[in-house]
Amino acid sequence: MSDYLLEAKLRAENRDLHRLTKDSAVVLQKMLESFLPRFPDFTDHTIMHSMDVLEYCNLLLGEKQIERLTAAECYVLIMSCYLHDIGMGINQKNYEELSEKIDFGDYFETHSRKDTQTIIRVFHNEYSGFFICKYAELFDIPCEEMVFAIVQMSRGHRKTDLLDENAYHDLMTKDGIIRTAFLSAIIRLADEIDVGVDRNSELLFDSSKVQDIKGIEAFGTHESIRRVEVREDAIVLYVKPKAPEYLELVSNLVKKIQETLDYCRKVVSLRSDFRITQTSVKTIKIID
Amino acid sequence: MKIIKMQNAAAVTVALEGRLDSMTAPALETELKALTDGALEIVFDMEKLEYISSAGLRVLLSAHKVMAKTGGMKIIHSNETVMDIFEITGFSDILNIE
């Protein structure tokens, strides 16, 4: 069993850091719901998604590797699971303020959709990073190194180059080392699994109200994957296609998770002495 | 952080000074345990509160839950920094802030 191992390990090693995560969780329940008015569609970024990502981190790491983590690593990993999508729920004032700091590259020259909703969705990992920087005091994050780690791990759940040693280097704190690249790879893979196979959308949204094709396809793909199992050697998706055409969409999703798995395995092996034991993403078709 | 209590027949006013964070929130929690038993309204005067973190918000939320069943609770004189925290955390929708 890997349930709540990270939380249990942190509580056993450092009760003060554990209490900080509990205080943050109480506040974040409400905060993470604030994305819903701006994004009334079918992607879950509530505390339920945070809890799921945390659970996948527990499963991917496994008991023996969690035992090797420092208290600082347990703390920043739990906080990053809670905070990685906080950028999806920023208000207009913070959107305008934080947009000044983000490097959008050539996005505005190369993309036609430039509305606020799209910008936040595409760059939400960057908004998360700057939001955490701005409000680090709110979450009582104990030191600058931990703020930096949580920012980088939250940014790194999407897109960023985890092999960049300047952006993702090891940090020393009084509560132990933080191996930022390794932890970022774990959270990126955990997030990819949960976004792909999200079950919470069925609880949060009414699928009959989906209008656009992309939303219908995404929701149908979620509904076609009935269960996920993280085994020692593989990530297994149990598939019952909602309709035959969803098989191809599920297949595309499997490829996407496999790509992320391959990349994260590479990061973990090159940047730490930990490992991701899972090597492949498999599907098992459920037959009535 | 300083906690100053003033009581009259209808309410207890709790004036907070300084920072309400993980270091100071346990002291407020202890004080409130005694006050919430009295079933009077609690008024938090935040004029001199410089900052409130998630630890402080948790204590307020806990008091709010208890006082909702009895005398009620309200927050007055929040400065801009504290009000910003209430707004971005959504606590402005939960707590009675005047």
Side-chain angles (χ1 to χ4, degrees):
Chain A
M1 283 290 286
S2 63
D3 289 357
Y4 306 109
L5 276 180
L6 277 164
E7 297 94 320
K9 162 99 174 157
L10 182 58
R11 187 177 57 188
E13 294 223 344
N14 191 320
R15 281 192 172 265
D16 289 339
L17 288 179
H18 182 256
R19 185 166 47 82
L20 294 181
T21 64
K22 281 176 30 182
D23 289 341
S24 297
V26 169
V27 173
L28 282 162
Q29 280 181 47
K30 182 75 181 166
M31 284 180 82
L32 286 165
E33 280 177 13
S34 59
F35 83 93
L36 284 164
R38 209 195 282 268
F39 295 96
D41 58 11
F42 297 90
T43 311
D44 172 29
H45 298 283
T46 65
I47 194 81
M48 288 196 286
H49 170 59
S50 302
M51 300 302 286
D52 286 346
V53 171
L54 185 49
E55 176 56 9
Y56 283 121
C57 287
N58 272 312
L59 291 165
L60 291 166
L61 285 164
E63 190 172 358
K64 284 180 185 164
Q65 295 200 107
I66 288 174
E67 201 44 53
R68 292 173 55 205
L69 297 178
T70 63
E73 286 176 321
C74 293
Y75 170 75
V76 296
L77 185 52
I78 292 169
M79 288 299 288
S80 301
C81 287
Y82 288 154
L83 288 166
H84 72 280
D85 274 340
I86 196 77
M88 287 291 286
I90 55 172
N91 61 21
Q92 188 63 25
K93 188 178 153 206
N94 274 325
Y95 169 69
E96 288 167 16
E97 183 185 323
L98 303 182
S99 293
E100 297 289 321
K101 300 178 178 182
I102 290 176
D103 178 4
F104 293 102
D106 63 356
Y107 181 86
F108 290 101
E109 289 82 52
T110 54
H111 292 78
S112 56
R113 292 196 64 179
K114 296 164 189 170
D115 57 288
T116 304
Q117 191 186 38
T118 303
I119 298 300
I120 290 177
R121 189 192 288 277
V122 173
F123 292 96
H124 75 275
N125 60 323
E126 298 295 344
Y127 284 104
S128 292
F130 283 111
F131 184 93
I132 295 162
C133 264
K134 181 178 175 183
Y135 291 103
E137 273 187 299
L138 168 61
F139 302 109
D140 283 308
I141 302 172
C143 64
E144 281 180 21
E145 290 79 9
M146 287 178 177
V147 174
F148 180 80
I150 295 167
V151 165
Q152 290 303 83
M153 288 161 68
S154 298
R155 287 182 63 233
H157 85 276
R158 295 281 171 94
K159 295 176 187 168
T160 59
D161 177 9
L162 302 182
L163 291 168
D164 179 346
E165 294 191 18
N166 291 318
Y168 291 92
H169 51 269
D170 292 350
L171 300 157
M172 280 309 299
T173 74
K174 73 175 182 60
D175 298 297
I177 193 170
I178 300 173
R179 287 156 280 206
T180 317
F182 151 61
L183 296 172
S184 300
I186 296 296
I187 200 169
R188 182 179 291 192
L189 180 56
D191 181 72
E192 186 72 57
I193 297 170
D194 193 55
V195 168
V197 302
D198 179 20
R199 309 302 318 148
N200 300 329
S201 297
E202 289 177 36
L203 300 170
L204 289 166
F205 306 106
D206 176 2
S207 66
S208 65
K209 292 196 174 140
V210 191
Q211 298 293 326
D212 66 295
I213 294 289
K214 212 174 166 186
I216 291 167
E217 286 182 350
F219 198 72
T221 308
H222 291 324
E223 287 182 309
S224 299
I225 298 166
R226 306 310 305 171
R227 188 158 69 86
V228 184
E229 200 175 289
V230 178
R231 296 181 183 169
E232 180 83 14
D233 62 339
I235 297 160
V236 182
L237 313 183
Y238 288 81
V239 180
K240 187 178 181 185
K242 194 180 168 196
E245 60 267 31
Y246 285 102
L247 270 177
E248 190 186 339
L249 293 169
V250 170
S251 171
N252 293 341
L253 177 65
V254 168
K255 277 183 204 156
K256 196 161 173 268
I257 299 174
Q258 181 70 56
E259 282 170 14
T260 305
L261 171 61
D262 294 341
Y263 177 74
C264 292
R265 276 173 57 81
K266 183 178 163 189
V267 171
V268 171
S269 69
L270 289 175
R271 299 295 312 280
S272 75
D273 58 355
F274 286 78
R275 65 196 180 116
I276 294 174
T277 58
Q278 295 76 21
T279 56
S280 62
V281 184
K282 296 176 180 171
T283 56
I284 293 178
K285 199 169 172 183
I286 301 171
I287 299 163
D288 287 327
Chain B
M1 186 188 68
K2 271 172 105 174
I3 304 168
I4 301 160
K5 292 172 288 182
M6 290 160 284
Q7 187 162 350
N8 63 32
V12 178
T13 298
V14 180
L16 303 174
E17 289 185 27
R19 292 175 60 87
L20 181 53
D21 56 21
S22 64
M23 302 298 287
T24 56
L28 179 62
E29 194 165 26
T30 305
E31 292 276 359
L32 290 177
K33 270 180 189 155
L35 292 178
T36 50
D37 286 345
L40 292 166
E41 182 185 28
I42 295 183
V43 180
F44 286 98
D45 186 336
M46 299 198 170
E47 187 177 8
K48 293 182 180 171
L49 187 69
E50 290 160 16
Y51 197 82
I52 184 166
S53 77
S54 54
L57 290 172
R58 185 182 59 74
V59 173
L60 289 186
L61 184 63
S62 180
H64 168 77
K65 282 182 180 170
V66 174
M67 295 309 294
K69 296 173 195 159
T70 55
M73 177 180 127
K74 71 180 174 190
I75 290 164
I76 58 172
H77 303 144
S78 305
N79 66 27
E80 198 179 331
T81 305
V82 172
M83 202 59 215
D84 181 47
I85 296 296
F86 284 143
E87 279 169 9
I88 64 131
T89 55
F91 272 57
S92 52
D93 300 334
I94 301 170
L95 304 175
N96 179 13
I97 302 168
E98 289 183 359

